[in-house]
Amino acid sequence: LQTMSGNEDDWLALKPQEPSPSQCCGSGCKPCIYDVYEKELAQWERAKAKQDKSLLMEKKEQSNNSALNPDTFTAFNISSVEQLTEDTYQYKFELPGNSSLRLSLGQHIVLRGMVNGLEVQRAYTPISPGNAEGYFEVLVKCYEAGLMSQYIKTWKKGDMVFWRGPFGGFPYQPNKHGELLMLASGTGLTPMLPILQSITDDEEDETFVTLVGCFRTFDKIYLKPLLQDLARYWNIRIFYVLSQETSLEELPWSYQENTYTGRLNEDLMKMIINSCRRKPFVLICGSSAFNEDMSRYLKAAGIEEKSCFVF
């Protein structure tokens, strides 16, 4: 028999996650990610009150017109699966014809997964350019105990997966900011990539970018070839901060001068900000602990809250 506390943990794992304020783009989406959350929370509370998990499996509307839609889930076919590190995978999904998701920058989409007959939903940011035709790509980090990760680990080429969206995003405008300082931890890199690509694709966009990618070790840096390509542009600099590397000597020489060991702390933050060519507007994406730390260091370095955007 399941103990009450074990059962309680099960219910908590199924509880819809409240969106962070940054996930709401403030542009009046219908439904807003908060509307969706309220609806799902009410459904979860009804099911929990009756101790009946089958109530979480209400027939969801599904759209068949194979276009992404914020209200209903649409099935997309997995066209390729690539393992990037021991726990990180890149998945490519087919879009019908030459259609594109037409996401604005840094927008995320919501994945629906079924685990042991129970529904889980999580948000992910595609890493492919918003105007990519015929496909989109998502970078996913799988966690040992994560419910959604258990589902994602079963994916194979040819599987159908349900997504809805888009939501959120950063209202980027070319040349609006002199310099963007991007602080990304792990898969927090994902919303930064479409913005970087839109800057490098637009010859008129002269925004400087300083990207600081925080990873545990050199092996855990995702998408190295893409990042190295981006770093060749005159207006883009990339630094790496590797919390579990002790020495830079083992690293390829091309990484040594722009990599730091240890954590991104207040002193390093001040040094990076002082090296920015213009006063930066800061984009932050990582775990909630990372986001809080970064906000604190930025404040100490004299960057006001209105000059920051947290994904």
Side-chain angles (χ1 to χ4, degrees):
L1 244 162
Q2 258 192 329
T3 60
M4 194 54 204
S5 63
N7 187 27
E8 203 59 22
D9 289 346
D10 283 357
W11 278 104
L12 278 178
L14 294 168
K15 186 175 183 177
Q17 282 187 320
E18 179 167 8
S20 60
S22 57
Q23 284 178 298
C24 173
C25 54
S27 51
C29 309
K30 288 278 172 269
C32 168
I33 194 160
Y34 279 104
D35 300 334
V36 174
Y37 166 70
E38 294 298 335
K39 198 170 120 194
E40 288 171 358
L41 185 63
Q43 186 185 347
W44 177 81
E45 283 168 348
R46 282 197 305 276
K48 185 170 186 282
K50 295 187 174 164
Q51 288 289 304
D52 180 358
K53 290 180 184 166
S54 69
L55 294 176
L56 294 176
M57 298 168 64
E58 283 173 15
K59 183 81 190 92
K60 282 285 192 298
E61 292 177 68
Q62 290 176 1
S63 85
N64 302 324
N65 63 1
S66 65
L68 192 65
N69 176 327
D71 294 299
T72 53
F73 282 95
T74 305
F76 294 95
N77 189 19
I78 299 176
S79 57
S80 75
V81 176
E82 188 185 347
Q83 185 165 0
L84 299 184
T85 68
E86 77 232 29
D87 54 3
T88 315
Y89 298 82
Q90 186 171 338
Y91 297 98
K92 192 170 187 176
F93 294 88
E94 275 172 34
L95 287 170
N98 274 345
S99 64
S100 112
L101 281 186
R102 291 196 295 279
L103 299 187
S104 50
L105 294 171
Q107 281 195 311
H108 55 264
I109 53 180
V110 173
L111 168 67
R112 185 177 86 202
M114 297 302 279
V115 184
N116 309 330
L118 301 169
E119 181 175 298
V120 199
Q121 294 185 26
R122 293 283 181 273
Y124 295 94
T125 308
I127 55 170
S128 41
N131 56 0
E133 294 183 352
Y135 75 96
F136 66 94
E137 289 176 313
V138 180
L139 180 73
V140 178
K141 179 171 179 160
C142 288
Y143 295 90
E144 210 42 59
L147 277 176
M148 187 59 97
S149 299
Q150 291 170 34
Y151 165 63
I152 290 172
K153 281 179 189 162
T154 67
W155 287 358
K156 303 178 300 302
K157 187 179 167 178
D159 286 354
M160 294 302 259
V161 175
F162 285 89
W163 294 95
R164 70 184 164 92
F167 300 102
F170 169 62
Y172 179 74
Q173 290 162 359
N175 298 313
K176 179 180 176 184
H177 306 288
E179 180 150 0
L180 289 178
L181 171 58
M182 299 177 167
L183 306 174
S185 169
T187 44
L189 191 61
T190 54
M192 309 299 181
L193 292 173
I195 298 172
L196 276 165
Q197 285 168 320
S198 87
I199 291 171
T200 55
D201 286 349
D202 180 356
E203 286 181 8
E204 307 288 303
D205 193 344
E206 300 191 344
T207 307
F208 283 113
V209 181
T210 298
L211 168 65
V212 183
C214 300
F215 299 91
R216 288 208 295 263
T217 60
F218 181 72
D219 294 340
K220 291 216 182 325
I221 300 175
Y222 313 121
L223 307 169
K224 288 191 190 82
L226 172 62
L227 293 172
Q228 291 289 73
D229 281 347
L230 289 167
R232 292 195 181 99
Y233 284 84
W234 64 275
N235 50 342
I236 293 181
R237 300 187 301 173
I238 300 183
F239 293 116
Y240 300 99
V241 181
L242 306 176
S243 59
Q244 291 176 10
E245 294 281 2
T246 45
S247 141
L248 298 176
E249 283 165 17
E250 303 290 302
L251 268 53
W253 65 266
S254 60
Y255 282 88
Q256 290 183 13
E257 62 183 285
N258 57 346
T259 301
Y260 299 90
T261 57
R263 291 194 168 277
L264 176 48
N265 57 22
E266 200 174 302
D267 291 341
L268 182 53
M269 179 74 88
K270 283 186 177 153
M271 197 188 92
I272 289 170
I273 288 172
N274 289 337
S275 77
C276 285
R277 291 138 295 190
R278 299 174 180 152
K279 190 170 180 203
F281 184 91
V282 189
L283 303 179
I284 307 171
C285 189
S287 65
S288 49
F290 175 84
N291 296 349
E292 282 164 27
D293 287 346
M294 295 307 112
S295 301
R296 209 169 56 246
Y297 303 154
L298 287 165
K299 200 171 172 183
I303 302 278
E304 300 124 9
E305 221 169 296
K306 66 175 197 307
S307 298
C308 301
F309 180 89
V310 182
F311 282 98

